[in-house]
Amino acid sequence: FALRSLSSTEAVFENPAHDFPQRVVYRYEAPVHLRARLEGRVDGRPRQLEFPMLRVACGDGEGAER
């Protein structure tokens, strides 16, 4: 997957020749959220999967802001 665009809050990767996904988008939503979205076509129909992530504290107590 090649990097197609990059900003301070988003990175977009694409590979049109891949079966699924053809596009991967990572979006940072301050202060503790990150979303990964897979986009593409399956059997000619658009498909999208989203993975919301949240920064959490590690075992040593460092990590997520409260």
Side-chain angles (χ1 to χ4, degrees):
F1 286 77
L3 178 64
R4 294 295 179 207
S5 67
L6 180 64
S7 73
S8 62
T9 58
E10 185 177 83
V12 179
F13 300 87
E14 291 183 352
N15 181 353
H18 196 261
D19 55 352
F20 181 84
Q22 290 88 37
R23 185 170 142 123
V24 179
V25 180
Y26 293 99
R27 181 172 292 134
Y28 172 63
E29 299 170 0
V32 296
H33 293 92
L34 177 69
R35 291 188 184 275
R37 189 173 65 239
L38 308 180
E39 302 174 348
R41 294 181 108 35
V42 176
D43 296 328
R45 293 179 291 197
R47 177 134 188 223
Q48 181 174 303
L49 297 172
E50 192 156 313
F51 299 90
M53 294 171 260
L54 176 67
R55 182 173 41 200
V56 297
C58 295
D60 63 2
E62 293 184 24
E65 299 168 29
R66 300 244 192 273

